[in-house]
Amino acid sequence: MTTAIGLLAALLTTAAFLPQVLHTLATRDTRGISLRMYVIFVAGVLLWLIYGLLVRDLPLILANAITLLLAGAILYLKLRHG
Amino acid sequence: MTTAIGLLAALLTTAAFLPQVLHTLATRDTRGISLRMYVIFVAGVLLWLIYGLLVRDLPLILANAITLLLAGAILYLKLRHG
């Protein structure tokens, strides 16, 4: 049960960035999105991915690889349309 | 070194939401922010917090309590000004 809660938590906090990517692709409106947030967040997720690789934790690696792609896409759209 | 990378990763992915809160408070422009993202993300962080309490992991509890407050504030501002 505890593991299931952790896995669901990881799934939700990873998947959450997909609707933001789709919303930003549809609207191209990035004025309300903080550039600083995504610069700091993408750097943090990259470090989480490196940490996951160092401790060889597959859930950490997978979740952060996906989050890096999604949050990285939002950062790219912010830089392009901001 | 590995632990330092993990701690820095946790610090960055938690602190990243503060500039978004400040940006949204300053601009009140939430049109570019995805409501679905923050509903899913806040639910996920709440589950991370519950998971941290269940496994009694202090870094997980602290990081997710702070992220819940910050992401919850963004969700509140989106609901109020969206």
Side-chain angles (χ1 to χ4, degrees), chain B residues 2-55:
Chain B
T2 302
T3 301
I5 291 172
L7 288 172
L8 184 58
L11 180 69
L12 291 178
T13 50
T14 299
F17 291 89
L18 186 58
Q20 180 67 66
V21 173
L22 299 175
H23 184 83
T24 305
L25 279 173
T27 64
R28 310 273 155 164
D29 180 358
T30 63
R31 282 170 299 178
I33 290 176
S34 164
L35 176 61
R36 280 185 193 172
M37 169 182 162
Y38 280 93
V39 168
I40 297 169
F41 192 77
V42 164
V45 172
L46 183 61
L47 286 181
W48 270 127
L49 180 58
I50 291 168
Y51 178 76
L53 290 166
L54 287 171
V55 300

Side-chain angles (χ1 to χ4, degrees), chain A residues 5 27 47 57 66 79-80 82:
Chain A
I5 291 172
T27 64
L47 286 181
D57 184 303
I66 296 168
L79 289 169
R80 183 161 173 187

Side-chain angles (χ1 to χ4, degrees), chain A residues 24-69:
Chain A
T24 304
L25 279 173
T27 64
R28 309 274 155 162
D29 180 357
T30 62
R31 282 168 300 177
I33 290 175
S34 163
L35 176 61
R36 280 184 192 173
M37 169 181 162
Y38 280 93
V39 167
I40 297 168
F41 192 78
V42 164
V45 173
L46 183 62
L47 286 181
W48 270 126
L49 179 58
I50 291 168
Y51 178 77
L53 290 166
L54 287 170
V55 301
R56 299 185 184 194
D57 184 303
L58 190 61
L60 264 183
I61 294 168
L62 281 179
N64 284 290
I66 296 168
T67 308
L68 185 62
L69 279 177

